[in-house]
Amino acid sequence: MPPSDPPLLTATRAYLRLVDFARRPHDLAAAGGLTPERIAGMRARACGIDLLYATERVTPEVLAALAELAGETGAVDQFRQMLAGGVMNRIDGFESENRRVLHFATRHLFDDIPDRPGAVLPQDAVEAERRELERVAGFVAGIERGRVANARGEPFTDLVNVGIGGSDIGSRALYLALQPWRCPGRRVHFLSNVDPDDAARVLRLVDPARTLVNVVSKSGGTLETTANQRRLIHAYRSAGLDPARHFVCVTTPGSALDRSAEFREKFHMFDYVGGRFSVTSAAGTVALAFGLGMDVLRDVLRGAREMDLASLELDLRSNLPLLLALLGVWNRNLLGLPTLVILPYSQALSRFPAYVQELDMESNGKSVTRSGQAATWHTAPVVWGEVGTDAQHSFFQQLHQGEAVVPCEFIGFRESQFGEDLAVAGATGQQKLNANLLGQMLALAVGKSDANPNRRFPGNRPSLALIGQRLDPRMLGRLVALYQNKTAFQGFLWGVNSYDQEGVQLGKTLAGSLLPRMVPGSGSAGATDGGLERALLEAAGMLPEASGSKP
Amino acid sequence: MPPSDPPLLTATRAYLRLVDFARRPHDLAAAGGLTPERIAGMRARACGIDLLYATERVTPEVLAALAELAGETGAVDQFRQMLAGGVMNRIDGFESENRRVLHFATRHLFDDIPDRPGAVLPQDAVEAERRELERVAGFVAGIERGRVANARGEPFTDLVNVGIGGSDIGSRALYLALQPWRCPGRRVHFLSNVDPDDAARVLRLVDPARTLVNVVSKSGGTLETTANQRRLIHAYRSAGLDPARHFVCVTTPGSALDRSAEFREKFHMFDYVGGRFSVTSAAGTVALAFGLGMDVLRDVLRGAREMDLASLELDLRSNLPLLLALLGVWNRNLLGLPTLVILPYSQALSRFPAYVQELDMESNGKSVTRSGQAATWHTAPVVWGEVGTDAQHSFFQQLHQGEAVVPCEFIGFRESQFGEDLAVAGATGQQKLNANLLGQMLALAVGKSDANPNRRFPGNRPSLALIGQRLDPRMLGRLVALYQNKTAFQGFLWGVNSYDQEGVQLGKTLAGSLLPRMVPGSGSAGATDGGLERALLEAAGMLPEASGSKP
């Protein structure tokens, strides 16, 4: 525990100044509100990503106060402490997980990217992660060389990743994002939901005899993952196959999964890696290495490591995660905007908004500070999003003319992934895509007057853009770490513990209390008298005697 | 134009009473706030769907005032006028689309579902839609019987649906939702984004020689759709195939597409069907009939028609779209909650939240009333969502313990689609799925106290559930019309025109002004002096001379 915590958000001097600035925030739609000089001046760059923020409602004074806020709350210091093994996953004075936060170790693997002074990661974690990555590499090499094969000696063509939340969303988003890099003849499928239709769907897509199953559960006891694991084991046995030849797992040492004899190989993740930050650990690397190969995976990790190091910069202009976090605090806490929309202009990033949503909302959707006090300020906004240009033909009507103002984060790339494009009417698809991205930023900012009130655009709606050259594996790794580390910085600014998730427990408990009442013949159970549970099941037509009686 | 418009939201007597009730809204977490009697009493049912709303923060008095609000604003009357051909797509006193709103005609096809008195649809629309559906049926029958085939006389196995927004999101959501009903050996692919990687991806999935392309554009001039159409034509020609043998289209009579000779068949949609309401018109039926067959499609349409008729009920308890709309107004306008999350506990509905998002936000993300006045009240919330139980392992932390309150709409089914399930630890997957759905509702409502502040749940967070027996085609049709008609009712309650989308124009104009500056050799263009455009392109590294220069 550090000797003294930094001041909380609203107790900083910078915050008081920001409150004052927020009374008359910069008006982007006013005459001179957005100029070429402003656009040229308000940008930052790190790891090959340009951040354009002239279309946020900030001034140089606001930016200076935000930088001061970062200083007063010790944001970069706390980040450095975290990398050095500080116990950042804690609630002082109360029972909590009390763990280090070291997903950074999972990408600390490159001798040519030197550590920064004062930012040396704990050696135990670095060594454990290197070892696990080598084991993953060995496993994948075994598949390639035929050492890891099915009972008939045939190579595995498919892998079903069984996991949910942190053991699914990130891996799925990254796998989808890198389809041009897929290993020929290999496919990864993701099975997450306890909905039996999800397993039924996946089982129709694969030939079990040629398919590996990767069960990913940090605790080893996740309800959905266990149910799907049993379901797949049943399917393998029914097909006359030995599950132990096809199943591998990723879990923490000593968990129920880890003790089981049902796996041909077990990979480890460790308690210092939170689920939603685990995509660069074995929780993500087994599926990604199978589907994309080790070289691609290493490039992802390299990109993430580069952004981790950039996150130690004190200058906002080269620390994109910190700048993004501060602009987010300005929009959420000072301008009072309750949501944030993530808009990748890249079909490959179709599930990236869902990953950022999980990162932000599960980490910082909290109302208690790390010292156990009530947080009396706004914390994580509702984060949502879809890809552009598609989103322009869906909810953009509201972004432009609705009464609610939604800050937008655009993500774009100068080049396409496949490099296959066709000029139609003189312009390529990539040029049209990017013209639309930038056109939306301008339209949101400057608006348009019109004699017809229904064709008027108020403008003055904030946005920013992250622009990279091309969404290749390294760029993707940088983006992943950019949003992970932005989340970390916002946690420090808001003073919350971003690394636990106590809020998911109560629903689980109540589901456990409802379930025995739904299962014919089983006795009722639960800590409560069950009156509410029974009434709700009755109303939903889900009591055993009512089951099937409603056509 | 009707003789006199009903009073606007805040000018109704009911609204004043609601404002009073909203000062002390019902507390679900207080002692006696949620009881078995309340759960049993607060439900409604129509078309085989149960709506449970005891976990909303309403009382019988609030519900009575909401019913009065519906009466004062003439919500059901307006709905009936719309069905009868009233020009509901208008802004009085200003240039506007001035159209009827008759997507209802696309499912008015069943002689055994009688019209209600006073709700007879215009005969021209009904006849036109019957004719189009017969043409779709004939086309699909032609494929089945080999009359519609490729140059070698082989049957078509794949169809690529090229469209965006209203010509994509709904069809995609419905196709994904009905995978167990897929025609064996047939697949539908959706290509929407102008991102060239989207077309590259789809082209890798199909054999063009065995693939139909369905170009869907109401106007016939949508940028993205035209670009993808040209790209696919290029691919067909490169493969030595005649596009005119493979391409069909759906568009309005007389559009550029309709005048083209590049299609083997042209289907029509009409100006009285808005894009986001067009999934039951030819815009959706061509792809759905190819992929799922006519019988399945007719069941979807039948379900939608049933819900259209239920939307004419004056009693809230049998008019689910109206009740949903009113509860939404309570949460948005009276309790001030800025977002709404849609949570299907059904993997099949993975894209249904995106469809509801488009419906709500593009229709009612407006700030001007139908009489051209400023709407001084909240309109469409931010609508977002993901499937459960996956979402529990992502953003539910924030729903339970975050400082922002998000009203939840759960959707669940008593039976799975595939009917393939396995009891693990005594309970099936479907039972676990539903126990979780109901468990979340209880947890959000009642909360939990704890000596550890980090394990405290404030509760009193509103939700509702829609429960059906099984997500079959007819149930899906009902759900689609339920949310379409909810959107219509909220438009009436808010006094806005839900059927135009002027807010998408400005971004298009500005993209058109940016594009010539990105294309090497082409002269600059645009109505403005282009200073902002040039500066933004420069900052983004997208000016022709800068292109590719940033590694």
Side-chain angles (χ1 to χ4, degrees), chain A residues 196-451:
Chain A
D197 289 334
D198 201 17
R201 175 187 65 77
V202 168
L203 281 168
R204 277 163 174 74
L205 296 173
V206 299
D207 169 12
R210 304 288 294 270
T211 301
L212 286 166
V213 175
N214 181 35
V215 180
V216 186
S217 170
K218 191 173 170 187
S219 69
T222 311
L223 172 91
E224 291 88 344
T225 304
T226 302
N228 280 319
Q229 179 195 354
R230 302 323 307 173
R231 174 82 181 276
L232 292 189
I233 286 175
H234 180 77
Y236 271 75
R237 292 209 176 115
S238 305
L241 297 163
D242 174 14
R245 204 172 174 100
H246 293 260
F247 283 49
V248 302
C249 73
V250 183
T251 189
T252 40
S255 78
L257 279 187
D258 197 44
R259 295 191 308 272
S260 157
E262 290 175 321
F263 300 99
R264 73 177 292 158
E265 193 105 32
K266 295 170 195 164
F267 302 95
H268 284 150
M269 55 195 301
F270 301 94
D271 72 350
Y272 52 70
V273 176
R276 53 196 169 274
F277 299 94
S278 70
V279 67
T280 49
S281 79
T285 57
V286 172
L288 294 175
F290 177 87
L292 308 170
M294 282 307 293
D295 289 346
V296 170
L297 174 62
R298 279 187 217 274
D299 273 352
V300 172
L301 300 178
R302 173 178 287 274
R305 171 71 177 151
E306 288 167 347
M307 190 59 81
D308 288 346
L309 290 176
S311 307
L312 292 162
E313 291 287 343
L314 288 170
D315 180 354
L316 283 191
R317 297 223 166 193
S318 24
N319 188 334
L320 298 193
L322 180 56
L323 181 50
L324 218 54
L326 289 166
L327 291 170
V329 166
W330 171 252
N331 284 328
R332 171 75 280 237
N333 297 81
L334 281 310
L335 302 188
L337 303 175
T339 84
L340 167 67
V341 65
I342 308 291
L343 299 162
Y345 273 55
S346 162
Q347 194 61 31
L349 292 180
S350 61
R351 291 301 290 169
F352 193 71
Y355 179 57
V356 176
Q357 176 181 70
E358 180 198 22
L359 272 179
D360 266 14
M361 296 181 72
E362 193 166 39
S363 299
N364 293 329
K366 312 275 170 74
S367 312
V368 171
T369 68
R370 216 166 52 193
S371 49
Q373 307 299 308
T376 56
W377 45 88
H378 294 305
T379 53
V382 166
V383 178
W384 56 292
E386 291 284 341
V387 294
T389 58
D390 291 56
Q392 292 178 200
H393 298 262
S394 171
F395 53 78
F396 267 59
Q397 163 66 38
Q398 200 215 30
L399 301 189
H400 287 290
Q401 291 190 317
E403 49 85 34
V405 174
V406 179
C408 303
E409 290 186 9
F410 293 90
I411 303 173
F413 306 95
R414 296 180 197 101
E415 296 171 21
S416 68
Q417 287 188 314
F418 283 96
E420 296 169 14
D421 206 339
L422 181 73
V424 175
T428 64
Q430 193 69 21
Q431 286 168 327
K432 289 178 184 134
L433 182 68
N434 286 328
N436 273 280
L437 186 166
L438 300 179
Q440 294 298 329
M441 292 180 81
L442 283 182
L444 287 163
V446 300
K448 180 169 90 62
S449 57
D450 198 300

Side-chain angles (χ1 to χ4, degrees), chain A residues 192-193 195 197 204 347 351 361 367 380 388-390 397-398 401 414 417-418 420 454 469 500 503 540, chain B residues 192-193 195 197 204 347 361 367 380 386 388 390 397-398 401 414 417-418 420 454 500 503 540 550:
Chain A
S192 52
N193 204 329
D195 178 352
D197 289 334
R204 277 163 174 74
Q347 194 61 31
R351 291 301 290 169
M361 296 181 72
S367 312
T389 58
D390 291 56
Q397 163 66 38
Q398 200 215 30
Q401 291 190 317
R414 296 180 197 101
Q417 287 188 314
F418 283 96
E420 296 169 14
N454 200 39
Q469 190 64 19
D500 65 359
Chain B
S192 52
N193 205 329
D195 179 352
D197 289 334
R204 277 163 174 72
Q347 194 62 29
M361 295 181 72
S367 310
E386 292 283 340
D390 290 55
Q397 162 66 38
Q398 200 216 29
Q401 290 189 318
R414 296 180 198 99
Q417 288 189 313
F418 283 96
E420 296 169 14
N454 201 37
D500 65 0
K550 298 202 173 184

Side-chain angles (χ1 to χ4, degrees), chain B residues 104-362:
Chain B
F104 311 99
T106 62
R107 51 241 195 178
H108 181 284
L109 303 155
F110 303 96
D111 295 332
D112 59 324
I113 308 181
D115 264 343
R116 301 206 168 205
V120 180
L121 275 72
Q123 208 49 39
D124 65 318
V126 171
E127 277 167 18
E129 296 301 334
R130 276 185 199 241
R131 204 162 48 231
E132 286 308 310
L133 192 69
E134 281 316 303
R135 293 188 54 222
V136 171
F139 183 68
V140 171
I143 296 171
E144 271 156 20
R145 292 174 200 148
R147 197 171 58 221
V148 176
N150 73 8
R152 296 195 299 256
E154 297 163 336
F156 291 111
T157 55
D158 292 66
L159 180 144
V160 177
N161 194 78
V162 182
I164 193 164
S167 301
D168 170 72
I169 299 172
S171 317
R172 200 189 286 246
L174 268 63
Y175 179 70
L176 284 176
L178 295 177
Q179 290 298 292
W181 286 267
R182 241 173 58 194
C183 295
R186 294 238 189 99
R187 292 185 308 169
V188 178
H189 314 269
F190 293 88
L191 171 55
S192 52
N193 205 329
V194 75
D195 179 352
D197 289 334
D198 201 18
R201 174 188 64 78
V202 169
L203 281 168
R204 277 163 174 72
L205 296 173
V206 298
D207 169 11
R210 304 288 294 270
T211 301
L212 285 165
V213 175
N214 181 34
V215 180
V216 187
S217 170
K218 192 175 169 188
S219 70
T222 311
L223 172 92
E224 290 87 345
T225 304
T226 302
N228 280 319
Q229 179 196 352
R230 302 322 308 175
R231 173 83 180 275
L232 292 189
I233 285 176
H234 180 77
Y236 271 74
R237 292 209 175 117
S238 305
L241 297 163
D242 175 15
R245 200 169 179 106
H246 293 260
F247 282 51
V248 301
C249 73
V250 183
T251 189
T252 40
S255 79
L257 279 186
D258 197 42
R259 295 191 309 271
S260 157
E262 290 175 323
F263 300 101
R264 74 177 293 156
E265 194 106 30
K266 294 168 195 166
F267 301 95
H268 285 151
M269 55 194 300
F270 301 95
D271 73 350
Y272 52 71
V273 177
R276 54 197 170 273
F277 299 95
S278 71
V279 66
T280 50
S281 79
T285 56
V286 173
L288 294 175
F290 177 87
L292 308 170
M294 283 306 296
D295 289 347
V296 169
L297 175 61
R298 279 186 216 276
D299 273 353
V300 172
L301 299 178
R302 174 179 287 275
R305 171 72 177 151
E306 289 166 348
M307 190 58 82
D308 288 345
L309 290 175
S311 307
L312 292 163
E313 292 286 343
L314 288 171
D315 181 355
L316 283 192
R317 296 223 168 192
S318 24
N319 187 336
L320 297 193
L322 180 56
L323 181 50
L324 217 53
L326 289 166
L327 291 169
V329 166
W330 172 253
N331 283 328
R332 172 75 280 234
N333 298 82
L334 282 311
L335 301 188
L337 303 175
T339 85
L340 168 66
V341 65
I342 308 290
L343 299 162
Y345 273 54
S346 161
Q347 194 62 29
L349 292 180
S350 61
R351 289 302 289 168
F352 194 71
Y355 179 57
V356 176
Q357 177 180 68
E358 180 198 21
L359 271 179
D360 266 13
M361 295 181 72
E362 194 167 38

